[in-house]
Amino acid sequence: MQIWAIANQKGGVGKTTTVVTLAGLLAEVGYKVLLIDLDPHGSLTSYFSYEPDELDHSVYDLFQTAGDVTENQVNSLLCSTNVERIQLLPASTALATLERRAVEHEGMGLQVARALRHLKDRYDYVLIDSPPVLGVLMVNALAACHHLIVPAQTEFLALKGLERMIRTISMINRARKKKLSYTIIPTFYDRRTQASVSCLRELHKLYPDELASAVIPVDTKFRNASMKGVVPSALDAGSRGVHAYARLLRSLIEQRR
């Protein structure tokens, strides 16, 4: 089971779109995929027509005790989606209260990793949608994952958020036994604008080894897929955006072999 976290310390860079599109592509070729929504805003949860404000059970339940989680507890939280091979561990808005509790309870940074031990034989891939804030939820995502995917919007203000994320990775690597590898994905690219072109050039200069060769373009099909609650490849497999993510996915799988 491969675990990928999708994170950046800036919002609006395409994290949830990245999670949903990659999951759809993985499921199409037969992989079983689990999605975990760790963002209190619950965008990934809402994508699949669950309401974060109304759920009786969610990923929040994993944090009720700072210690081992049972297999039955984890199983009770899993939700189906409209894609046969994709399941969801949904978010609730109660996640926003965890930072306050994390100060009082040690060990909360490993709850997701503990839960996933019970699922290692059930899924081929786990994709974690992380909040854009460094705290106990992002720490859980980074502690649990084998590889980190960092979407970076191709505009200069987003570069500052990316710098913070790279510093966070360095901090996490000092605490991990094994260095966390990561891939930066340029998103919202519009080759018609000088801002996008210049920003992509800067990304190549600053992060030549970590930058993905696939560039995710601005594509209204992503928005249309979100409105319909379907993975983008199910709406239009031939769209520019889906092709870009398919190229990205091929490179990610090759890297992990």
Side-chain angles (χ1 to χ4, degrees):
M1 183 172 76
Q2 280 292 311
I3 305 170
W4 296 346
I6 293 78
N8 193 330
Q9 285 172 247
K10 184 183 184 305
V13 296
K15 293 191 301 297
T16 301
T17 297
T18 297
V19 171
V20 170
T21 309
L22 290 178
L25 291 167
L26 286 165
E28 281 180 7
V29 294
Y31 290 116
K32 293 180 180 178
V33 184
L34 174 64
L35 306 183
I36 302 179
D37 191 354
L38 289 183
D39 192 336
H41 290 108
S43 296
L44 179 61
T45 299
S46 298
Y47 197 107
F48 289 103
S49 301
Y50 292 98
E51 181 50 63
D53 291 321
E54 299 174 1
L55 289 170
D56 292 327
H57 298 285
S58 72
V59 69
Y60 176 75
D61 293 18
L62 298 179
F63 298 92
Q64 294 305 295
T65 56
D68 282 338
V69 182
T70 69
E71 185 172 358
N72 285 340
Q73 282 177 304
V74 180
N75 288 338
S76 70
L77 305 179
L78 298 173
C79 296
S80 62
T81 72
N82 54 13
V83 182
E84 182 181 353
R85 295 185 181 91
I86 297 177
Q87 286 191 298
L88 172 69
L89 209 169
S92 68
T93 51
L95 286 170
T97 67
L98 283 181
E99 296 306 324
R100 196 166 57 247
R101 292 186 55 216
V103 176
E104 304 167 1
H105 301 280
E106 294 184 3
M108 287 182 68
L110 297 174
Q111 289 302 88
V112 171
R114 292 181 180 118
L116 287 176
R117 289 174 192 154
H118 297 298
L119 302 175
K120 59 181 175 21
D121 297 323
R122 292 176 53 181
Y123 300 98
D124 301 298
Y125 286 89
V126 177
L127 276 61
I128 305 173
D129 196 358
S130 178
V133 178
L134 178 57
V136 67
L137 291 167
M138 183 182 286
V139 167
N140 265 270
L142 299 182
C145 74
H146 301 126
H147 189 71
L148 173 64
I149 298 169
V150 186
Q153 188 175 357
T154 48
E155 57 111 41
F156 280 97
L157 287 177
L159 290 180
K160 291 299 180 183
L162 181 58
E163 288 175 13
R164 290 193 297 274
M165 192 67 225
I166 300 304
R167 287 197 295 270
T168 295
I169 295 169
S170 298
M171 178 187 72
I172 292 291
N173 279 337
R174 288 195 291 271
R176 284 175 61 112
K177 293 178 181 178
K178 184 178 179 182
K179 184 178 179 181
L180 177 59
S181 60
Y182 64 94
T183 300
I184 299 168
I185 311 166
T187 58
F188 293 98
Y189 181 70
D190 187 346
R191 63 183 180 182
R192 299 168 300 179
T193 68
Q194 185 59 39
S196 269
V197 173
S198 299
C199 187
L200 182 59
R201 189 182 302 124
E202 189 72 6
L203 286 169
H204 276 290
K205 185 169 72 174
L206 294 172
Y207 310 104
D209 297 327
E210 295 80 19
L211 191 68
S213 57
V215 178
I216 311 303
V218 172
D219 191 340
T220 57
K221 297 296 175 63
F222 291 136
R223 188 185 306 118
N224 295 344
S226 177
M227 290 172 60
K228 293 178 181 293
V230 298
V231 295
S233 53
L235 179 73
D236 186 351
S239 70
R240 293 182 303 125
V242 170
H243 273 295
Y245 273 112
R247 182 183 174 193
L248 170 66
L249 182 58
R250 287 193 295 270
S251 68
L252 289 171
I253 291 175
E254 285 299 318
Q255 284 177 30
R256 306 310 297 167
R257 284 177 177 166

